[in-house]
Amino acid sequence: MDKQWWKESVVYQIYPRSFYDSNGDGIGDIKGIISKLDYLTELGINVVWLSPVYESPNDDNGYDISDYKAIMDDFGTMEDWDQLLDEMHKRGIKLVMDLVVNHTSDEHHWFAESRSSKDNPYRDYYIWRPGKGDEPPTDWIASFGGSAWEYDKKTDEYFLHMFSRKQPDLNWENEQVRQDVYEMMRFWLDKGVDGFRMDVINMISKKEILPSCDAYQKGDAEAEAYQFNLPGVHDYLREMNEEVLSKYDIMTVGECPKVTPEEAIKYTAVERQELNMVFQFEHMGLDKHKGRPKWELKELELRDLKNNLSKWQEELANSGWNSLYWSNHDQPRTVSRFGDDTHYHRESATMLATLLHMMKGTPYIYQGEEIGMTNIHFDSIEDYRDIETLNHYREMVEEKGMRPVDIMPAIYVKSRDNARTPMQWSAEEKAGFTTGTPWIDVNPNYQNINVEQALEDKDSIFHYYKKLIQLRRQHEVIVYGKYQLLDADHPSVFAYERELNGDQLIVICNFYGEETTFDLGNRKAAEVVISNYANELPASDEIKLRPYEAIVYRLDNNSRM
Ligand code: NOJ
């Protein structure tokens, strides 16, 4: 058993813009985070992943960086950041920074140089190609819509941007780019950061881009083969590991869209010396039509979720390591997405938490998830701020002539702004997030869903998360135990066992709002470890489950896995 601190940790993600505003300008900031660290201590997490706080023109809320070694004015100063790290370390909380190096902002000085002339020393820091006549070099599409190529008049060439046109992709083939990135990473590591979450890191190598790389007409799979998980990514990560990561006791998690378990093992197997874990997206794609954009909604099938999460548990059982998450700043709120935020808010939020936190891997909690924050419905598109949402709306309404009423339902379900409304601290005006006008409006349900109220109520979602986090510290089986799915065909229950050196847990989750039953077989429960309803030991093998009920039993040693 390869024990590591990052396997035993629970991570909390902070999206700084929306966390807490200390100076009344309507934007969350670093001083705001410092003032809330005791809250995080109370919750019990021991690692924070901080979304970007670097200098940025904010085309994509900080994921477009114009200076990797400076702090964005909106968020404060480098002194504030130093104090944040210090205050976190004093409380035993580690800090993982976001590393966004697939692309920079077009306002980064490297890009300003690069676009200035074809023979500028920085020209080759980015990916420039001549067009095909009046057309872009290839038919690649950017994640936020439109061509992935932007024409630049000055030198009569196109540059590649897999995200917005203000996020040009770096050319990782250029050794000088890699060395500059490594040097920047050392800058932060030498300041004492405890790791990196690496933004779309499996996209840093692109296949040699030729006109024949037209991809979409050949289908999505073909396009992906040019853009994701190319062998070069592994070469770069091994080099990065050797030159930088291996020199520090840190954790690394790579954001890897389109990654399969087989690929994930390549990134995370210890002997390959690349990363500790990846964020995979397969379970996040189960409520859309396969191969279609995220806006094309489909009801989640429990069977698909069971198969998928179990596949990841099993395939990474002996090699590699899983990250466990339901939400982040790009995903809708879990309780609205997979639970019932109206009739069974507490029950479904805690059931989902149980299901995830009892699995093998490192759990991630996204700010507000621990109090059951929900999706937002703004009546007007004017109130949305996210570039992906706004581009989608524009494309559908202005270019494709669709009616707003036909577009908004998917935005309500999937917009990234669902996760970005301000953290709800109290029932005070603006949810206690700011004394000014928030950069994005607060969710009106803050009167009922907020931290102050959650802390007071011993039965709240918050206190349930706190307990789940403590359990992970108390029971090694939760961290390192073997996973086995039970009753794969049960239509409404997701159940599994965990086992380590004879210590066994059974996790039983009713995924829906109707009552159901579950057969324990000949297992004997010895103790209720946690449950979101008042529960005692079962009187018979067949247990009745109430809406969204979750129970974890420790099993008697004589029960078999
Ligand atoms: C993934 C990040 O999580 C997302 O917020 C961002 O828009 C893209 N990468 C581009 O950096």
Side-chain angles (χ1 to χ4, degrees):
M1 199 159 73
D2 175 31
K3 292 193 179 182
Q4 300 288 345
W5 64 262
W6 42 266
K7 293 184 178 175
E8 297 168 15
S9 295
V10 178
V11 185
Y12 187 90
Q13 185 194 350
I14 293 182
Y15 193 66
R17 242 184 151 62
S18 303
F19 193 60
Y20 185 63
D21 172 19
S22 73
N23 62 357
D25 65 357
I27 299 173
D29 48 48
I30 293 176
K31 282 207 164 93
I33 301 174
I34 297 173
S35 72
K36 296 295 184 186
L37 288 178
D38 289 340
Y39 168 71
L40 299 183
T41 305
E42 170 76 21
L43 178 60
I45 55 90
N46 62 317
V47 178
V48 163
W49 150 27
L50 181 59
S51 277
V53 289
Y54 316 98
E55 190 67 63
S56 161
N58 278 316
D59 189 50
D60 186 18
N61 280 359
Y63 282 90
D64 48 319
I65 298 169
S66 51
D67 184 346
Y68 287 105
K69 293 184 186 169
I71 300 293
M72 192 191 299
D73 286 345
D74 285 347
F75 293 149
T77 63
M78 191 60 93
E79 287 68 47
D80 297 339
W81 185 90
D82 289 335
Q83 194 194 346
L84 173 70
L85 183 67
D86 207 42
E87 292 293 330
M88 280 188 174
H89 283 172
K90 268 193 217 156
R91 291 169 175 79
I93 299 175
K94 293 184 189 277
L95 177 57
V96 166
M97 294 287 276
D98 221 306
L99 183 80
V100 188
V101 289
N102 173 67
H103 45 268
T104 67
S105 161
D106 66 341
E107 296 183 32
H108 194 290
H109 85 90
W110 296 342
F111 191 73
E113 298 272 356
S114 183
R115 79 183 340 168
S116 67
S117 77
K118 283 186 180 166
D119 51 16
N120 186 285
Y122 285 95
R123 181 66 171 182
D124 198 34
Y125 266 49
Y126 296 85
I127 301 169
W128 293 95
R129 293 286 183 279
K132 277 194 284 190
D134 280 346
E135 296 290 311
T138 69
D139 67 354
W140 295 11
I141 293 168
S143 271
F144 299 151
S147 169
W149 296 97
E150 182 73 5
Y151 178 67
D152 207 46
K153 207 164 167 211
K154 181 99 204 267
T155 55
D156 188 28
E157 283 194 334
Y158 290 76
F159 66 85
L160 181 71
H161 62 89
M162 295 307 298
F163 293 88
S164 93
R165 59 168 67 98
K166 284 186 65 63
Q167 293 168 297
D169 281 45
L170 282 166
N171 174 18
W172 274 71
E173 272 178 37
N174 181 340
E175 169 153 23
Q176 199 49 51
V177 167
R178 306 203 298 276
Q179 288 306 324
D180 280 359
V181 169
Y182 302 158
E183 190 269 328
M184 173 272 284
M185 291 171 75
R186 284 185 208 106
F187 167 85
W188 289 103
L189 290 165
D190 292 339
K191 274 174 153 298
V193 310
D194 304 289
F196 291 112
R197 172 267 185 189
M198 303 185 183
D199 194 69
V200 288
I201 200 69
N202 64 335
M203 296 176 73
I204 56 176
S205 169
K206 281 97 188 164
K207 196 171 174 133
E208 192 188 357
I209 302 166
L210 305 166
S212 60
C213 288
D214 272 343
Y216 287 88
Q217 51 184 323
K218 300 177 200 151
D220 274 5
E222 186 78 17
E224 286 163 19
Y226 291 126
Q227 299 158 353
F228 298 86
N229 303 313
L230 284 147
V233 181
H234 297 286
D235 298 336
Y236 302 146
L237 286 176
R238 273 201 295 276
E239 180 184 83
M240 179 196 283
N241 190 299
E242 195 183 320
E243 295 200 20
V244 187
L245 306 175
S246 59
K247 313 264 194 272
Y248 302 83
D249 177 22
I250 53 171
M251 70 167 257
T252 51
V253 50
E255 188 203 25
C256 294
K258 324 270 183 205
V259 82
T260 60
E262 201 185 354
E263 272 294 334
I265 289 173
K266 291 192 199 153
Y267 288 111
T268 63
V270 178
E271 66 280 6
R272 289 180 54 95
Q273 298 288 298
E274 296 185 22
L275 302 173
N276 297 146
M277 57 191 131
V278 298
F279 286 127
Q280 60 91 8
F281 285 79
E282 287 186 346
H283 67 307
M284 293 284 106
L286 298 177
D287 57 352
K288 72 171 183 75
H289 291 282
K290 213 171 174 189
R292 302 297 306 153
K294 70 183 222 179
W295 311 104
E296 297 190 17
L297 311 177
K298 157 180 173 299
E299 194 71 23
L300 172 78
E301 299 276 347
L302 179 59
R303 183 186 306 263
D304 293 345
L305 186 70
K306 285 195 213 183
N307 286 343
N308 188 266
L309 292 180
S310 300
K311 176 181 81 177
W312 279 89
Q313 289 285 300
E314 281 152 18
E315 297 201 20
L316 271 63
N318 303 317
S319 191
W321 189 253
N322 271 300
S323 60
L324 307 171
Y325 75 98
W326 285 132
S327 45
N328 60 41
H329 64 292
D330 294 330
Q331 300 293 336
R333 291 286 180 180
T334 318
V335 65
S336 305
R337 184 180 193 179
F338 298 136
D340 179 343
D341 62 8
T342 313
H343 305 100
Y344 294 106
H345 179 247
R346 179 188 171 279
E347 292 80 1
S348 62
T350 49
M351 180 280 290
L352 288 163
T354 314
L355 182 51
L356 196 81
H357 281 247
M358 287 294 136
M359 287 190 171
K360 185 172 177 184
T362 300
Y364 290 73
I365 300 168
Y366 177 67
Q367 68 185 39
E369 180 186 326
E370 77 282 11
I371 55 166
M373 279 180 62
T374 66
N375 281 354
I376 186 74
H377 279 215
F378 291 131
D379 289 336
S380 160
I381 193 69
E382 302 292 316
D383 291 325
Y384 285 83
R385 300 283 175 267
D386 167 36
I387 181 170
E388 183 192 50
T389 307
L390 298 176
N391 283 359
H392 168 67
Y393 181 90
R394 196 173 314 123
E395 194 177 313
M396 292 297 139
V397 175
E398 288 170 21
E399 290 168 28
K400 301 212 166 125
M402 287 181 72
R403 295 181 314 163
V405 287
D406 297 326
I407 304 302
M408 292 312 283
I411 288 181
Y412 292 147
V413 177
K414 284 289 181 68
S415 169
R416 304 196 298 181
D417 280 339
N418 283 311
R420 300 178 181 185
T421 60
M423 181 76 181
Q424 293 164 206
W425 293 103
S426 71
E428 278 164 43
E429 220 186 322
K430 308 295 174 203
F433 162 73
T434 181
T435 52
T437 307
W439 69 277
I440 184 171
D441 219 345
V442 297
N443 191 318
N445 66 17
Y446 70 86
Q447 308 264 0
N448 304 319
I449 301 175
N450 63 64
V451 168
E452 202 173 276
Q453 175 267 345
L455 287 171
E456 267 165 32
D457 173 6
K458 289 289 165 237
D459 281 331
S460 67
I461 300 169
F462 175 90
H463 286 287
Y464 194 88
Y465 266 84
K466 186 173 164 177
K467 183 155 185 209
L468 284 172
I469 297 166
Q470 285 167 356
L471 287 173
R472 187 163 273 267
R473 305 253 148 76
Q474 292 156 5
H475 299 263
E476 215 172 30
V477 59
I478 302 176
V479 180
Y480 294 108
K482 180 168 167 262
Y483 168 97
Q484 191 185 322
L485 179 69
L486 300 177
D487 208 345
D489 294 326
H490 196 303
S492 51
V493 173
F494 194 147
Y496 56 88
E497 272 186 338
R498 303 292 312 279
E499 190 273 337
L500 184 73
N501 303 328
D503 204 3
Q504 293 174 45
L505 301 178
I506 183 169
V507 180
I508 307 162
C509 298
N510 178 4
F511 206 80
Y512 295 105
E514 288 84 42
E515 290 184 356
T516 184
T517 58
F518 182 78
D519 190 355
L520 284 173
N522 55 7
R523 294 174 189 83
K524 273 188 66 193
E527 179 196 340
V528 179
V529 177
I530 189 168
S531 175
N532 59 357
Y533 281 80
N535 256 309
E536 311 220 321
L537 290 179
S540 68
D541 280 355
E542 188 171 88
I543 53 171
K544 267 200 159 155
L545 295 167
R546 288 157 279 191
Y548 294 102
E549 181 158 1
I551 319 174
V552 182
Y553 294 122
R554 193 170 57 74
L555 294 179
D556 195 291
N557 266 346
N558 297 322
S559 303
R560 287 262 40 92
M561 190 155 170

